[in-house]
Amino acid sequence: MIELSTAAKDVILAFADDEHMIGSRHANWIGLGPFLEEDLAFCSIAQDELGHALALYDLIVPSSEIDRFALLRDPSQYRSCTLAELECATWDLALVRHWLYDTAEELRWKNLLQSTVPGLADLAAQALRDEAFHTSHAEMFMTRMHRDESARLKVEAALAVLLPAAGSVWSPTDTEAEAVAEGVIAASSETLSQQWVDTVTTDLERFGLAGNTGVTLGDRTIRSQGFESFHTSLGEVISLDTAAIW
Amino acid sequence: MNSRTLTDRATLEAVQFAVASVHDPEYPGVSIAELGLVETVRVEDSEATIDLIPTYGGCPALDFIARDVRNAVMATQAVTACTITWLRAPIWTPDRVTGDVRRFLESEFTVTLRRSDGSLVCPVCGSGTVRDTAPMGPSRCRSLAYCDDCRNPVEVMR
Ligand SMILES: [Zn+2]
């Protein structure tokens, strides 16, 4: 493993935890999607996000410890954002969150394309190949939702719930200024969040959907409501035998 | 040419042959070499070093493929050790799949690959009027398209 600065590790950890949480939340739709194709689509997207999380953890944790690190840390040690952690119990919420999150995720990977952290730029280039499919999948649904009145109302209700929490994805790490100075990331979260608001606002107009965009930052050191039970369920299998090699 | 060079070359060829014999778990009958997953095979001091490229980072088959490669290489008894690394760069793209295998994938799995100009050709009827319908297909590495001529759904390896 390479020696990294605290600022670099903080940025990677926050992104890795976001990817881990969103991937695990998406995976909840296995067998429960509204129709088979969406069941499979959410599985595939979940698999990608968990793959991204694994590759990011791999930069900051010894390979043999990744599972335990990812699943068995104390909740206070996670640095994921509320948007990624939230339980989306209905598919309209899950779909809208997928769109909001992946729109942000694409910007975050692009922000790593010139990263000074060895291996991170290559990883970003690879992840962006996946992201093109994720964003086009999300958009395919979002562009069609205004055509049917009941669908539009559901999506707008989901937007009303999620937009206030969505800005949490831009909550910076404590050491972000150093990460920018060291070239770990090209631009600050604040700069990216403005690009994201512009994109989301333009897209909503294009989709014919109403929603108020803005950014309310969260605190990555505080876990959102419902995290504890989710965390327990994530660790259930590994806790059966913590010494086992999976 | 001295004997040492000959032996080294024979060893390398044995290892290369072993690596090439490993099939992809998702496409039985297609080797990982034909899919473009093998980047380099080296042998030095009786130790093999093999660099592989994943089709995508989160592929759950990576451990299985690495295990199969190691087993195949060690079974040659030509080397004493085998180190396998999954590279992050270069990135796998469908261009890495060789031409003959493209035809095999089309006939055996009705899975097609995008041409280098981005176009699609129907693996069933050969028509060029294939349009993308869904970015996420039946598995992580396939998207869905539809042939307007023969009215068959088409899976695209991505
Ligand atoms: Zn056809």
Side-chain angles (χ1 to χ4, degrees):
Chain A
M1 244 177 29
I2 28 165
E3 274 304 311
L4 292 175
S5 68
T6 304
K9 283 189 208 158
D10 288 351
V11 163
I12 294 166
L13 176 62
F15 200 6
D17 279 345
D18 282 352
E19 295 286 87
H20 179 204
M21 290 304 130
I22 195 93
S24 302
R25 284 299 194 187
H26 282 340
N28 285 347
W29 288 96
I30 294 172
L32 298 172
F35 46 97
L36 181 63
E37 285 80 358
E38 270 320 284
D39 195 318
L40 294 169
F42 265 76
C43 292
S44 293
I45 296 168
Q47 204 177 315
D48 282 346
E49 307 301 29
L50 292 172
H52 296 165
L54 185 62
L56 288 165
Y57 285 134
D58 199 33
L59 294 169
I60 52 173
V61 184
S63 299
S64 58
E65 288 166 32
I66 290 178
D67 283 353
R68 264 163 274 224
F69 181 83
L71 300 166
L72 298 178
R73 258 174 297 161
D74 186 83
S76 67
Q77 301 301 308
Y78 286 79
R79 291 294 175 266
S80 34
C81 68
T82 304
L83 181 66
E85 289 176 4
L86 270 181
E87 179 182 16
C88 291
T90 61
W91 194 71
D92 27 298
L93 283 168
L95 171 69
V96 171
R97 188 253 300 268
H98 154 44
W99 172 64
L100 289 167
Y101 182 86
D102 277 305
T103 308
E105 190 190 339
E106 193 167 41
L107 291 171
R108 290 169 88 183
W109 284 119
K110 284 181 179 163
N111 203 30
L112 293 167
L113 281 173
Q114 312 292 330
S115 180
T116 50
V117 172
L120 195 46
D122 290 331
L123 178 60
Q126 190 171 45
L128 281 166
R129 272 194 79 223
D130 303 336
E131 282 313 304
F133 288 95
H134 300 180
T135 50
S136 90
H137 172 262
E139 277 197 35
M140 191 177 71
F141 280 94
M142 296 298 284
T143 48
R144 285 162 172 80
M145 285 306 174
H146 68 286
R147 296 183 192 168
D148 174 89
E149 181 67 5
S150 69
R152 188 176 61 78
L153 290 174
K154 274 190 177 182
V155 170
E156 284 180 351
L159 282 163
V161 172
L162 290 169
L163 279 171
S168 64
V169 74
W170 300 115
S171 314
T173 56
D174 293 343
T175 52
E176 193 187 271
E178 284 123 278
V180 175
E182 291 167 13
V184 174
I185 44 176
S188 68
S189 300
E190 198 188 341
T191 306
L192 259 57
S193 74
Q194 285 157 7
Q195 290 173 22
W196 178 79
V197 167
D198 288 346
T199 305
V200 167
T201 309
T202 313
D203 282 351
L204 285 177
E205 272 171 35
R206 187 161 55 91
F207 302 152
L209 294 165
N212 290 318
T213 39
V215 170
T216 308
L217 296 178
D219 181 343
R220 288 186 176 274
T221 63
I222 297 168
R223 309 274 55 80
S224 56
Q225 209 190 348
F227 182 88
E228 294 266 352
S229 61
F230 182 46
H231 180 249
T232 305
S233 74
L234 288 179
E236 232 159 30
V237 175
I238 196 173
S239 299
L240 291 173
D241 183 353
T242 49
I245 295 164
W246 297 89
Chain B
M1 200 181 284
N2 63 41
S3 63
R4 183 187 150 97
T5 317
L6 256 181
T7 317
D8 284 354
R9 197 167 145 195
T11 304
L12 179 64
E13 277 172 7
V15 172
Q16 281 170 330
F17 186 78
V19 174
S21 73
V22 174
H23 286 197
D24 185 90
E26 184 144 350
Y27 301 102
V30 180
S31 79
I32 58 167
E34 290 167 318
L35 287 174
L37 268 54
V38 182
E39 180 68 2
T40 47
V41 176
R42 286 188 307 272
V43 176
E44 214 170 296
D45 300 331
S46 299
E47 292 185 10
T49 308
I50 295 149
D51 293 335
L52 303 173
I53 294 173
T55 50
Y56 64 103
C59 181
L62 300 189
D63 287 347
F64 294 99
I65 295 172
R67 182 201 60 194
D68 291 350
V69 170
R70 179 171 294 107
N71 289 345
V73 169
M74 295 314 285
T76 64
Q77 298 190 331
V79 291
T80 52
C82 176
T83 308
I84 295 163
T85 308
W86 287 102
L87 301 178
R88 289 218 178 82
I91 297 170
W92 183 89
T93 61
D95 300 340
R96 296 180 68 99
V97 180
T98 57
D100 286 347
V101 176
R102 286 175 176 248
R103 283 181 284 281
F104 183 78
L105 288 169
E106 288 181 352
S107 62
E108 292 300 309
F109 299 94
T110 55
V111 168
T112 193
L113 286 109
R114 221 166 273 283
R115 301 293 182 267
S116 48
D117 65 355
S119 67
L120 288 170
V121 173
C122 176
V124 182
C125 75
S127 163
T129 53
V130 179
R131 59 190 164 84
D132 290 293
T133 51
M136 313 303 293
S139 89
R140 161 54 189 75
C141 6
R142 295 184 214 166
S143 63
L144 275 186
Y146 187 79
C147 175
D148 283 326
D149 272 340
C150 71
R151 305 194 172 195
N152 272 303
V154 174
E155 292 180 13
V156 185
M157 195 173 171
R158 62 172 179 87

